[in-house]
Amino acid sequence: MSSISNPSKNTGAEAAANDGKAKQAEGAGASMSARDKSRLQLNAAILQSSLNVSLSSQNDPLALVYKSAITGINEALQADFGDDAVQNAASQDNSAEATAQRIVSLSTGFFEAFKKQNPGMDNDAALEKFMGTITGGMEKGFGEARDILKGLNVLQGDIAGNIDKTYELVQKGYADFVAAHSSKKAEA
């Protein structure tokens, strides 16, 4: 015990024991080197694979972020929407006409429920208040979308044109909805 606390007093037997421990440590080091070598090979394979992905995505790190985000979103939505929910939603018609039609039909679809929640209002007053509400929401949504696209420096060319066209088609859809549901149409 005293040799452990004071290594300068090692006897010959203790020196031999320590030498044996050193050789065991070297042996353990050799097996660890094999393990380390295996880890290095695995890490090299991972790096090579990452390099291949990076090269195939033309060194575009955003492509990798996009793929990771889509995978995470798909996993989160899988229970409610099934496999590949994002890809399935993206495969829908995203033209200006189809997008405007979805916006108009989804937002105006709440008109009957709105009238039931406001039984004291006549039809035209309810229609005016309802349209003010959904138009305000639509305006806010388009404004936020434009701000995001502007921040990404992509609000130009076809993208800007398609957004403007969609906005105009939504406005026309809302005008058609008002014309179809207003009692003033009968007077005209």
Side-chain angles (χ1 to χ4, degrees):
M1 275 209 163
S2 64
S3 66
I4 293 174
S5 61
N6 189 353
S8 64
K9 294 183 179 179
N10 282 351
T11 64
E14 289 172 329
N18 286 339
D19 188 40
K21 288 179 186 174
K23 287 183 181 177
Q24 283 178 342
E26 284 176 11
S31 68
M32 289 186 76
S33 293
R35 196 174 353 171
D36 287 344
K37 184 176 180 181
S38 175
R39 283 186 188 160
L40 286 174
Q41 289 173 339
L42 178 61
N43 287 339
I46 291 170
L47 288 174
Q48 182 62 43
S49 183
S50 295
L51 176 63
N52 292 343
V53 169
S54 181
L55 291 175
S56 69
S57 66
Q58 300 173 353
N59 291 325
D60 187 357
L62 290 180
L64 297 174
V65 170
Y66 173 78
K67 180 161 179 54
S68 297
I70 294 300
T71 300
I73 292 168
N74 276 335
E75 289 171 0
L77 296 176
Q78 186 174 16
D80 294 320
F81 299 102
D83 292 337
D84 300 325
V86 173
Q87 289 85 343
N88 293 336
S91 67
Q92 68 188 358
D93 183 357
N94 290 313
S95 65
E97 294 81 8
T99 301
Q101 183 180 5
R102 281 192 302 276
I103 292 169
V104 171
S105 66
L106 289 172
S107 59
T108 58
F110 291 99
F111 182 54
E112 292 304 316
F114 182 84
K115 286 194 312 186
K116 286 179 183 175
Q117 289 179 346
N118 297 282
M121 297 178 110
D122 71 9
N123 187 66
D124 288 337
L127 181 62
E128 185 176 333
K129 185 174 180 181
F130 175 75
M131 293 308 297
T133 300
I134 64 170
T135 299
M138 181 273 301
E139 294 281 348
K140 180 180 178 190
F142 269 88
E144 289 173 355
R146 282 187 175 116
D147 289 345
I148 290 167
L149 294 171
K150 195 180 298 181
L152 295 171
N153 293 321
V154 295
L155 187 61
Q156 53 203 358
D158 287 346
I159 293 172
N162 285 333
I163 290 174
D164 291 342
K165 184 176 181 179
T166 303
Y167 180 82
E168 291 170 12
L169 290 169
V170 169
Q171 296 288 60
K172 182 183 180 324
Y174 283 171
D176 291 346
F177 181 83
V178 168
H181 289 83
S182 175
S183 60
K184 294 179 183 176
K185 68 178 178 184
E187 296 170 10

